[in-house]
Amino acid sequence: ASNRALSLRRAQAIAAYLKRKGRLRIPVRVAGLGEDRPAVKTDDEIDEARNRRAEYYLAIQPPLSGVKWH
């Protein structure tokens, strides 16, 4: 839960930065995935730098991925 909350805060901070800089004039949706969607599967408690990432999707409609968007 703490990783998901951290992931969400990071996503919100990136979206706020882009909006503040005037780069985005469209609605922005963010999601924090934490350990729910790792880029690289690992055993529990294994640190994997590639799992600390930000992914950006530009689309006309939200993706139908089952992710809870904020």
Side-chain angles (χ1 to χ4, degrees):
S2 64
N3 282 340
R4 190 176 311 110
L6 175 61
S7 178
L8 179 57
R9 287 193 307 273
R10 285 179 176 157
Q12 290 169 329
I14 291 167
Y17 172 83
L18 292 172
K19 284 195 158 266
R20 191 171 52 249
K21 292 293 183 177
R23 304 286 188 229
L24 294 175
R25 292 187 173 92
I26 58 174
V28 175
R29 294 178 183 229
V30 300
L33 302 178
E35 295 178 356
D36 296 339
R37 289 245 184 103
V40 178
K41 298 268 187 198
T42 63
D43 292 330
D44 285 345
E45 305 302 321
I46 301 294
D47 187 29
E48 176 54 62
R50 291 175 290 175
N51 285 333
R52 292 186 297 273
R53 69 196 189 282
E55 295 179 0
Y56 304 88
Y57 299 93
L58 301 176
I60 295 171
Q61 297 177 5
L64 300 174
S65 64
V67 172
K68 181 181 177 187
W69 294 91
H70 300 275

